Amino acid sequence: MPKSYANTAQQSITPALRQWIIAQAEAGFTPDVVLKAMRDSGWSEEVAVEAMESTLTAHLQARKQSLPAPVAVPAPDLSQAPLQLDVGDRQVRVLSVMQNPRVVVFGNLLSDEECDALVEAARPRLSRSLTVATQTGGEEVHVDRTSDGMFFSRGESPLIQRIEERIARLLQWPVENGEGLQVLHYQPGAQYKPHYDYFDPQEPGTPTIVKRGGQRVGTLIIYLREPEKGGATIFPDVQLEVAPQRGNAVFFSYDRPHPATKTLHGGAPVLAGEKWIATKWLREREFN
Ligand code: PD2
Ligand code: ZN
């Protein structure tokens, strides 16, 4: 740590000292440990306490200000802790709930027949998955995403319409705010490395992307065909793994485009067999 060579009366709180205090706090050291290290390096108790207090208060304030404001997000009605939710044409089971990040695992969202029908309608239209090109707002092939995929248009067939209406009821979010359903096919070895689904406000392409419908605020990943091994959806910030069980789905929401939402997630490599999913991304506003 920066040493104090001056006597107590002359000790001043330098930028180097402030940086060091922030680094200690972010590394998880408690205030007493940090204070002791400062005293051991020659700082007086009085100056050390003042330096800690003023530095950390200002740091937290700055962090708060850089956090985007929270917005409304899609959410199932879990106020009565239901075991299942009536979505009109089906009872969807609530299997697991996490508060922070907001993650809900659903069972019985789609029938086996609906899963198969989506796979067969998607199969002839697959091509190597693209990700959004963050520089330009266009799309590009990306090594982090080794699946094949396609998008259905919203409402393009009675099957798609039925599923979209079911999702809208389940998550209490308008059909119009949803992007078209995307189907992804992972072969052995394919994965989707951890990422956030919201568009990074720092990237130059983001203002163009969010002109249409605003930010993404929620994701529903539906498992259409399960692999024999691997292929879980993982949330590394909270060490959560969701098994890709056919007909089930994992939902998560993010009320601001910021890592503070802890919604970093990925598709673990498929180790054997093939994995098929359908993803519905939900926007703040009508997406057209
Ligand atoms: O296939 C998955 O489990 C997965 C993981 C991360 C899908 C997505 N992201 C996605 O479609 O956004
Ligand atoms: Zn994702």
Side-chain angles (χ1 to χ4, degrees), residues 127-253:
S127 57
R128 173 77 190 267
S129 291
L130 302 174
T131 43
V132 172
T134 48
Q135 294 292 313
T136 60
E139 288 189 316
E140 63 190 2
V141 169
H142 201 288
V143 288
D144 286 353
R145 197 174 189 192
T146 48
S147 52
D148 299 321
M150 56 77 66
F151 274 95
F152 288 106
S153 304
R154 215 170 50 217
E156 77 162 61
S157 71
L159 171 70
I160 297 289
Q161 248 173 47
R162 186 167 82 223
I163 293 171
E164 287 174 339
E165 276 160 24
R166 197 178 291 164
I167 294 170
R169 276 188 76 154
L170 178 68
L171 301 176
Q172 307 185 96
W173 205 249
V175 166
E176 294 73 29
N177 294 23
E179 296 181 29
L181 203 59
Q182 186 192 44
V183 170
L184 287 184
H185 173 219
Y186 298 78
Q187 286 178 312
Q191 63 179 310
Y192 197 168
K193 295 224 180 111
H195 59 272
Y196 298 98
D197 280 353
Y198 58 73
F199 304 107
D200 183 347
Q202 308 299 327
E203 294 287 351
T206 293
T208 309
I209 298 166
V210 301
K211 268 192 197 132
R212 217 178 143 203
Q215 265 288 359
R216 285 183 178 159
V217 288
T219 303
L220 181 75
I221 298 171
I222 310 170
Y223 305 107
L224 304 178
R225 281 199 188 154
E226 49 195 66
E228 283 147 38
K229 290 180 187 161
T233 303
I234 55 171
F235 294 80
D237 285 348
V238 287
Q239 288 95 50
L240 174 66
E241 287 186 21
V242 178
Q245 198 177 319
R246 178 175 167 87
N248 289 6
V250 60
F251 166 70
F252 51 99
S253 61

Side-chain angles (χ1 to χ4, degrees), residues 21 35 69 77 90 94 116 123 134 260:
I21 290 171
L35 274 177
D77 179 7
R90 211 167 165 81
V94 179
D116 287 343
R123 196 191 290 279
T134 48

